Amino acid sequence: MNQLTDFIGEQITPFNIFVATLLFVNILFGISMIFIERRSAQSVWAWLLVLFFLPGLGFILYLVFGRRIYNEDLFKADETVQRNLEEHVQQQMQKLRNREFILENPIYQKYYKLVHLLLYSNHAYVTVNNEITTYTDGNVKFDALLEDIKNAKHHIHFQYYIFKLDGLGKKLYNAMIEKQKEGVEVRILYDDIGSRSLNMRNFRKLKKAGGHVYAFFPNKLPLINFRLNNRNHRKIVVIDGEIGYTGGFNVGEEYVGQSEKFGYWRDTHLRVKGDAVKALQRRFMMDWNSQEKREQLKYQDAFFPNVDYKGNVPMQIGSSGPTEHFQQIKFSYIKMIATAQHSIHIQSPYFIPDQSFSEALKMAILSGIEVKIMIPSFPDHPFVYWGTYANAGFFAELGAKVYVYKKGFLHQKILIVDDEVLSVGTTNIDNRSFALNFEINTFIYSIDEAVKHRKIFEKDIEDSELLTPKIYNERGKMIRFKEAIANLIAPIL
């Protein structure tokens, strides 16, 4: 008996207790992912492998990268804003049921189901009186934005994933300080990880003048952010409720071609005038209210002015994120692909589609639809790039025309179908954008706009090289090894 007691005592050491506890916690996390959390099988297996092979580090990685957001009420609009939205959506849903919409625009006839999908699942109502200016060069875009900021009369709502106070950022920031001093209400919302070089001390001048600044999901502990995996990737600017900006450009000198690493920065951003600005305003207000409970943005007439706009571009503003029941933007992408009859054009810096997107694109190619895909020629995130290259090579072998952009870094996120409908926004073709980040896209129903962007795509081809199956199959062993690792961890990239 004494021998047994001595044996057990020798086994129960602090280290053994630590190891047993760690394994027990890993098992609990594994059970949670399998039976409680709504994850894809790919994601579950990827995390189980991480927890199994890296029991200590995997535990930390899961806490930082793997946890889901269960607060479905994180984004709440002001009661008046929400009531107006719901009334608007219900009216349009009734029109859709009665097929009244399809008489207003012949393109609605073909994309009736896409309109319904965004309206029903995302409250993304249709606006038709919009005017769009497209920017593909950062210098032109930020010159226009700076001018609009200087002309602001009532408010500036400014939201970016990356906001750097370098030469470009300081120009915009200083202009907003001056407008705040003039009495214009300035609010800045930045993502705490995307804009990790910032902290509240950087905004003392604006706050002293009466402006407001908040970070999205900020660190709760120094250098530790337990929401590292769920970032607000949206780019939204609303000025006086009349002018809106959204698209791919962040704020930093690399986005105007002043980075030696990236060189020329190829992106796409939209300046919008029309009732679609109200949807951008509503999205900003909800994002703002999710982070600041004391200074909640409530309805003001000046936020939603009644203006007689003369534009004629129909569009919906769709958004998605990990608090949603559905991956609305991914669903809309897939619906667009499924509706295609002739052509599909895709530009994305990160092209790591999940199984559902891949299957839709495969069917399109095998059905004889012309599919063209454009990716960058070098990475800003290595593993993501090699996953992108592997998927691009696969679709090149299947029959798609894949182009590798050589002029600089390609960052825009574009999907065009049949020269009739297109999507421009912040959403990449990967699991991070589909399921983990908070994103925003415009869905535009216009032959003129779709043809314009398709011609821009064709212009980009002049600065690209065709990735043929022959070129892809001649890649070296090291590239194949990188692709294999990237594909293994693709669900959590």
Side-chain angles (χ1 to χ4, degrees):
M1 182 70 176
N2 290 337
Q3 290 178 333
L4 178 60
T5 303
D6 291 341
F7 174 77
I8 294 173
E10 290 174 0
Q11 306 306 307
I12 302 177
T13 65
F15 176 76
N16 288 344
I17 292 174
F18 173 76
V19 172
T21 303
L22 200 59
L23 291 174
F24 179 71
V25 171
N26 277 5
I27 291 171
L28 287 181
F29 280 149
I31 292 172
S32 172
M33 282 187 286
I34 294 171
F35 296 106
I36 300 176
E37 298 182 9
R38 292 179 295 179
R39 295 179 181 266
S40 67
Q42 285 179 307
S43 179
V44 169
W45 278 112
W47 277 113
L48 289 177
L49 286 171
V50 169
L51 291 171
F52 180 78
F53 286 110
L54 302 169
L57 180 59
F59 168 72
I60 297 172
L61 290 174
Y62 180 81
L63 284 178
V64 176
F65 293 103
R67 296 188 309 144
R68 288 295 182 91
I69 298 176
Y70 294 101
N71 185 1
E72 296 179 357
D73 294 326
L74 178 65
F75 299 100
K76 296 189 73 173
D78 167 73
E79 183 178 344
T80 303
V81 174
Q82 186 64 30
R83 184 174 62 251
N84 290 344
L85 172 64
E86 290 175 357
E87 289 175 357
H88 211 71
V89 168
Q90 289 302 318
Q91 290 172 3
Q92 290 202 347
M93 285 296 299
Q94 189 60 45
K95 280 190 172 184
L96 277 175
R97 294 189 190 101
N98 297 337
R99 294 299 181 99
E100 295 175 29
F101 255 11
I102 63 176
L103 302 177
E104 299 174 8
N105 187 326
I107 297 180
Y108 292 154
Q109 175 74 49
K110 182 174 181 180
Y111 298 99
Y112 163 82
K113 295 296 184 182
L114 175 61
V115 174
H116 187 285
L117 171 64
L118 282 162
L119 185 61
Y120 180 77
S121 70
N122 200 222
H123 283 183
Y125 59 87
V126 179
T127 58
V128 299
N129 60 343
N130 302 295
E131 174 188 333
I132 295 176
T133 304
T134 300
Y135 301 107
T136 60
D137 181 273
N139 289 285
V140 180
K141 179 253 176 171
F142 285 110
D143 285 347
L145 177 57
L146 184 61
E147 187 66 20
D148 285 333
I149 287 173
K150 290 179 178 179
N151 291 328
K153 299 294 189 295
H154 182 268
H155 65 271
I156 299 167
H157 291 165
F158 186 96
Q159 175 180 348
Y160 278 92
Y161 172 62
I162 296 175
F163 182 28
K164 295 182 179 180
L165 286 176
D166 52 17
L168 172 64
K170 284 180 180 177
K171 275 186 184 179
L172 297 170
Y173 177 56
N174 290 335
M176 287 187 280
I177 292 174
E178 292 305 311
K179 297 308 294 187
Q180 181 65 51
K181 290 178 179 178
E182 294 174 13
V184 174
E185 298 175 359
V186 175
R187 295 178 178 86
I188 296 176
L189 179 64
Y190 67 89
D191 185 85
D192 197 56
I193 296 300
S195 306
R196 53 188 170 273
S197 63
L198 294 181
N199 58 60
M200 287 301 159
R201 292 191 301 274
N202 296 117
F203 298 100
R204 281 180 294 191
K205 289 184 178 180
L206 178 64
K207 295 175 77 173
K208 184 178 179 181
H212 305 274
V213 184
Y214 290 102
F216 188 88
F217 280 171
N219 292 347
K220 298 299 183 183
L221 298 171
L223 303 178
I224 299 176
N225 194 308
F226 290 112
R227 286 299 174 199
L228 187 64
N229 216 31
N230 304 119
R231 307 317 310 176
N232 196 319
H233 197 232
R234 298 171 184 141
K235 294 91 175 167
I236 301 171
V237 178
V238 177
I239 298 173
D240 294 340
E242 297 184 19
I243 298 171
Y245 284 82
T246 189
F249 283 105
N250 289 294
V251 179
E253 290 185 338
E254 64 266 40
Y255 299 96
V256 290
Q258 296 182 23
S259 165
E260 291 185 8
K261 176 182 177 182
F262 295 109
Y264 180 73
W265 190 277
R266 172 66 182 89
D267 218 325
T268 298
H269 219 89
L270 305 179
R271 179 183 186 269
V272 181
K273 295 188 70 175
D275 282 342
V277 177
K278 292 180 171 61
L280 293 174
Q281 182 81 285
R282 187 176 292 106
R283 181 71 266 170
F284 176 88
M285 293 176 69
M286 293 170 69
D287 285 4
W288 179 272
N289 290 348
S290 74
Q291 301 305 301
E292 183 41 56
K293 304 305 179 186
R294 292 169 300 174
E295 298 178 5
Q296 293 275 292
L297 272 177
K298 298 185 180 298
Y299 177 86
Q300 295 182 33
D301 289 341
F303 288 166
F304 301 93
N306 291 318
V307 180
D308 185 17
Y309 296 106
K310 304 300 183 183
N312 60 356
V313 180
M315 60 194 295
Q316 291 172 283
I317 304 290
S319 57
S320 65
T323 58
E324 305 283 349
H325 289 293
F326 308 108
Q327 297 175 13
Q328 290 100 329
I329 293 179
K330 184 188 79 170
F331 285 6
S332 301
Y333 278 175
I334 292 174
K335 189 64 181 176
M336 289 172 67
I337 291 170
T339 311
Q341 298 292 318
H342 309 290
S343 64
I344 298 169
H345 293 74
I346 298 172
Q347 289 175 302
S348 180
Y350 315 138
F351 185 72
I352 311 176
D354 65 4
Q355 185 174 356
S356 58
F357 188 99
S358 290
E359 294 299 318
L361 203 55
K362 287 177 193 175
M363 287 189 284
I365 295 170
L366 296 175
S367 299
I369 294 169
E370 181 183 59
V371 174
K372 294 182 178 180
I373 301 167
M374 189 175 293
I375 63 170
S377 61
F378 60 91
D380 63 340
H381 301 292
F383 278 116
V384 177
Y385 181 76
W386 294 115
T388 292
Y389 195 74
N391 280 282
F394 169 81
F395 282 104
E397 292 179 323
L398 196 64
K401 290 184 178 179
V402 176
Y403 300 93
V404 180
Y405 187 75
K406 294 288 187 176
K407 184 178 178 180
F409 188 73
L410 180 134
H411 188 252
Q412 74 269 26
K413 307 94 168 62
I414 304 286
L415 175 60
I416 312 168
V417 168
D418 289 350
D419 280 356
E420 293 175 337
V421 63
L422 73 149
S423 181
V424 181
T426 67
T427 308
N428 296 299
I429 312 296
D430 63 6
N431 185 62
R432 177 160 301 282
S433 276
F434 289 162
L436 301 176
N437 283 345
F438 299 94
E439 307 282 0
I440 187 166
N441 274 51
T442 58
F443 293 84
I444 303 169
Y445 306 87
S446 165
I447 292 174
D448 290 342
E449 290 295 320
V451 169
K452 178 176 73 178
H453 283 268
R454 191 253 301 159
K455 289 181 177 178
I456 293 172
F457 188 106
E458 291 174 349
K459 181 67 176 176
D460 289 335
I461 290 176
E462 298 175 10
D463 296 310
S464 306
E465 290 183 0
L466 183 66
L467 178 63
T468 65
K470 182 177 183 296
I471 292 174
Y472 179 68
N473 288 322
E474 289 175 350
R475 69 198 187 283
K477 292 181 180 179
M478 182 53 67
I479 293 178
R480 294 173 188 264
F481 173 76
K482 293 175 181 178
E483 289 181 351
I485 298 299
N487 284 331
L488 182 65
I489 62 174
I492 59 176
L493 281 176

